[in-house]
Amino acid sequence: MRTNRFAAAGKNPDYEIDMTNETPARPSGLRNPAAIYVVGLFGMGYTDLYIFLIPLYGLSLGMSAGEIGLLVGGRSLLAVFLSIHIGVLMDRFGTRLVTLFFVWTAIVLAPVFPLVPWFWPLLLLQIVNGGALSFAWSGAQTLIAQLAEGEAEYIGRFSFYARIGTTVAPLITGVSWDLGGAWPAYMLAALWGIVLTIALLRAPEARTAPIDGAVQAAPRFRLRDTLPRLSDYVNCFALLAIPAVATTMAIIFLRTATNGVQFSLYVVYLKGIDLTGTTIGLLFSAVEIFSGIGSLFAGRAMRLGDPQKTMLSGTVFSIVLICVTPFLGGIYALLLAANVVRGWLQGVVQPMMFSVQAKAVGPYRQGAVVGLRQTMNRLAAIAIPPIMGVIADGWGTTASFVVLGIFLTLLCAPIVRITRRGAQVRPAASD
């Protein structure tokens, strides 16, 4: 069977991009995949549950919109600076072990929230808890990439279950809040974490890097290992020299940009054409539902052609589908159809990105590449909304869709060059 590899594949023969139409054999780490799929469902839902709760809790305490905004944004602070460090720790000491630590941290902190009615202590609690949740979800993503050996088909199934979690968590949390307020809602969060713990304990641990060719136990943890190392950050950002990693990180930036449009300009526009909150919510739900369905097709899409070209073309279409919103005439059926197609495309592309990254860096740097991905995501999420706000203020909401569409499409040009450079490298590394 002939395979094509990315730049680093010569060093990582276990992680290859299968360019045939054959269905890959199930990886040995997924002989019993139920536990890791439950990790996906409860892992992503764990984060969304807390995201949903903090605005409700802040409002119940009489906090201002600005204070609530700081509480919501505070959850990303530690992830911006420490995602790479935590990812390296996962590679070094074992992904499941590190992930469990952060899941337990969030469980312990859950009942503290109802005891803290003051803004500044609550912000500090939110920063610490938000970091723990982010790192726990990073660990879940790292573990599936390791156990699935980078195969998009299984990563796609994991993503499908994760989407179920993001759909269910806000619903049952809202019911819990309505029935009893903060205490039952946050205790539900603790219970959710306990179920996630059970799933993680039943999932297998991934292999740690061999030493001198021999597989050994993870090194002994020392207190100084909790401190970030500059060398880890340098080595992690050096992964961007691999064309496959550079391409997928750029695509992630564009994907984050489209999500930023959805949660800002898109909502403003829809409210401007007098759509109700319920109908806007249905449009958002369509994206999530069909994104979950699309993720199930990622494995097949990986085998149909060049994965990088497929990811880039899917991302370009996603940009177009949201930026043409003002030209759909406010017709709800067209808005819904655009969201269905965009959600499906994003669902297909996301597991492919994770798979390409996993195969490019090999089995023992999965935590590092997930940490890099999380860092880029957080930076984009922080930088893009203000830029979009400036454009909207200067050009108006409708015109800003066009400006953003042109800008984001132009950003695809350097990605095409990176993809072509990667294609020139692959033949040398082929069998």
Side-chain angles (χ1 to χ4, degrees), residues 2-269:
R2 184 176 178 83
T3 58
N4 287 330
R5 305 175 186 175
F6 291 111
K11 298 180 181 179
N12 303 297
D14 293 336
Y15 276 54
E16 300 178 347
I17 300 295
D18 187 354
M19 303 298 288
T20 71
N21 289 324
E22 300 178 18
T23 301
R26 174 174 289 183
S28 58
L30 288 179
R31 288 173 181 162
N32 184 16
I36 191 62
Y37 292 154
V38 174
V39 169
L41 192 156
F42 281 87
M44 194 168 182
Y46 200 33
T47 301
D48 281 18
L49 191 152
Y50 282 91
I51 293 173
F52 181 82
L53 276 179
I54 195 63
L56 293 176
Y57 186 48
L59 286 172
S60 72
L61 297 174
M63 293 184 181
S64 67
E67 289 175 326
I68 292 174
L70 287 173
L71 290 174
V72 172
R75 60 175 291 272
S76 299
L77 187 61
L78 290 182
V80 171
F81 299 103
L82 294 180
S83 287
I84 289 175
H85 173 56
I86 300 302
V88 171
L89 290 182
M90 291 177 186
D91 290 333
R92 189 174 297 151
F93 297 103
T95 302
R96 190 181 64 171
L97 179 63
V98 176
T99 303
L100 281 168
F101 172 79
F102 290 110
V103 171
W104 294 338
T105 299
I107 292 174
V108 171
L109 293 178
V112 179
F113 276 86
L115 297 174
V116 182
W118 309 283
F119 172 74
W120 290 109
L122 187 59
L123 177 60
L124 178 61
L125 179 62
Q126 175 74 350
I127 290 172
V128 176
N129 190 67
L133 292 168
S134 179
F135 302 144
W137 176 233
S138 293
Q141 293 178 74
T142 302
L143 191 59
I144 183 59
Q146 292 168 324
L147 297 179
E149 298 175 5
E151 290 297 339
E153 178 178 348
Y154 302 102
I155 296 176
R157 293 176 186 175
F158 177 87
S159 298
F160 173 77
Y161 285 101
R163 295 290 177 183
I164 295 176
T166 61
T167 303
V168 172
L171 293 175
I172 63 174
T173 305
V175 172
S176 179
W177 181 273
D178 290 339
L179 291 176
W183 274 108
Y186 277 103
M187 294 312 295
L188 172 66
L191 178 61
W192 192 282
I194 291 172
V195 177
L196 177 56
T197 295
I198 296 171
L200 281 166
L201 290 173
R202 293 185 62 85
E205 177 63 282
R207 295 174 295 170
T208 55
I211 301 175
D212 297 328
V215 177
Q216 300 183 7
R220 184 176 179 180
F221 181 80
R222 296 164 298 183
L223 186 60
R224 66 183 182 184
D225 290 316
T226 60
L227 301 176
R229 302 177 186 176
L230 179 61
S231 59
D232 289 337
Y233 282 75
V234 172
N235 292 334
C236 195
F237 279 103
L239 294 175
L240 292 173
I242 303 173
V245 176
T247 300
T248 50
M249 290 299 176
I251 291 173
I252 285 171
F253 178 88
L254 294 175
R255 178 187 176 90
T256 303
T258 58
N259 289 338
V261 173
Q262 176 178 329
F263 286 102
S264 56
L265 291 177
Y266 189 68
V267 176
V268 172
Y269 175 81

Side-chain angles (χ1 to χ4, degrees), residues 258-259 262 266 283 287 291 317-319 321-322 337-347:
T258 58
N259 289 338
Q262 176 178 329
Y266 189 68
L283 293 176
V287 174
S291 182
F317 279 120
S318 295
I319 293 171
L321 284 169
I322 195 166
N339 276 8
V340 166
V341 176
R342 183 164 60 88
W344 188 84
L345 286 172
Q346 290 183 343

